[in-house]
Amino acid sequence: MKKKVLIVSKYGYRQSSYYTPFAEFGPCEMDSSVLTTNPDSIGLAVFEGGSDVSPNLYNEAEHRTTSSDFQRDIFEKAVFERLLKLGIPMAGICRGAQLLCVLSGGKLVQNIQGHGGNHKVTTNDGRTIIVTSTHHQMQLPPVDAEILAWADPKLSKIYEGWTPTDGVLPPEREYDCVYYPNTNALGMQYHPEYMSHDSEGFQYCIELVKKYLIHN
C-alpha cells in the first residue's frame, strides 16, 4: 500500500487543491494527528499557502505590509518539528515554502513587488520555465541551501522588511524553488496547483519531489 501525503492544515479548511501536484505519491491525508497515531503511514508532508509567516519566527520587526497568523505558525512549527524527528520529507507551496525556509535557518523579505501572475524562472540546470505566483514575501535561504530556480529577470524594485544576517543569502536573486538539505524540505514559491497538469510548472514540481524527496 502506498504511503499517504499529509496536507498540513491548522483549521481543517481541507484545501485539497494543494494535494493535486502530489497525487501520484499517495492518497491524501488532512489530519495531522496521524503523526502521533500512525506516523508510518505518511510518506510526504505538504505545507499550504495562505497568510504571511510571522517575523517573530525569524527575529525581524513586523513590516507594515505583513499580515500573519501566529497561532497557525506555532501549530505548523510543531508539526514541522515532529516531521523532522520522524524523518518524513516535506514540501511547501507559497507560504509553505516561506515557512520551510524560516524553519530551516533562513528568513524572509517581508515585501516585494511584481510576483502576481505568470512569470519566467531560470532553473539551476539552465532551463526557462513559466510559473504562476501570487505573493509579496520572499525566501532568503540559509547559505547551505540548494537554489533550484529563481525569477529571471528580477521582478521587484523594492525589498522591504529585512536586515542582513550572517549565514543567510541576501536578495541577489528572487528565489523561487529551494531545497533545504538539513531538514529534507523543498520550498516552491509558485503555485503548481493553479497550473494545468501538462504545463512545465506543474511537471517541474513533480520532477523536484522525485529528485529530492521521494526516491522510488
Side-chain angles (χ1 to χ4, degrees):
M1 177 180 290
K2 268 191 173 183
K3 290 193 174 186
K4 296 180 180 180
V5 177
L6 173 66
I7 307 299
V8 179
S9 181
K10 162 68 174 167
Y11 300 114
Y13 290 150
R14 301 192 64 81
Q15 295 287 342
S16 57
S17 64
Y18 287 100
Y19 165 70
T20 306
F22 308 96
E24 71 177 79
F25 303 109
C28 184
E29 172 63 68
M30 299 290 295
D31 185 357
S32 295
S33 69
V34 71
L35 297 176
T36 299
T37 61
N38 190 15
D40 290 341
S41 68
I42 302 300
L44 173 67
V46 177
F47 289 82
E48 303 173 308
S51 58
D52 296 335
V53 175
S54 171
N56 287 331
L57 292 185
Y58 51 96
N59 299 316
E60 286 279 5
E62 186 168 289
H63 189 262
R64 57 181 171 76
T65 61
T66 295
S67 179
S68 59
D69 180 345
F70 196 55
Q71 292 304 310
R72 178 179 178 182
D73 293 335
I74 294 302
F75 170 80
E76 293 188 357
K77 182 174 183 287
V79 174
F80 170 90
E81 290 171 349
R82 177 69 173 155
L83 291 163
L84 191 61
K85 184 176 181 179
L86 291 167
I88 295 173
M90 295 172 267
I93 292 175
C94 197
R95 170 212 152 82
Q98 296 166 5
L99 182 76
L100 292 176
C101 176
V102 168
L103 296 180
S104 299
K107 60 192 305 183
L108 303 178
V109 174
Q110 293 185 60
N111 192 43
I112 62 171
Q113 298 173 330
H115 285 258
N118 294 341
H119 66 85
K120 294 178 181 178
V121 298
T122 294
T123 67
N124 63 346
D125 58 2
R127 289 178 285 167
T128 298
I129 293 175
I130 302 295
V131 300
T132 296
S133 292
T134 171
H135 64 99
H136 77 108
Q137 299 199 321
M138 184 180 77
Q139 304 171 87
L140 291 180
V143 294
D144 63 352
E146 185 174 348
I147 310 304
L148 306 178
W150 53 94
D152 189 11
K154 293 171 74 171
L155 302 172
S156 184
K157 298 185 184 303
I158 62 168
Y159 300 93
E160 298 179 327
W162 72 284
T163 54
T165 302
D166 288 343
V168 175
L169 295 173
E172 294 174 347
R173 290 176 170 172
E174 292 174 1
Y175 308 100
D176 208 284
C177 299
V178 183
Y179 176 64
Y180 301 98
N182 61 325
T183 56
N184 197 21
L186 173 66
M188 292 164 286
Q189 182 63 72
Y190 75 103
H191 284 273
E193 81 282 8
Y194 289 176
M195 306 183 74
S196 65
H197 289 208
D198 59 353
S199 67
E200 286 184 310
F202 190 95
Q203 293 300 319
Y204 184 58
C205 171
I206 295 172
E207 174 189 326
L208 292 181
V209 173
K210 287 180 177 178
K211 181 174 181 178
Y212 290 94
L213 303 180
I214 306 293
H215 308 288
N216 291 334

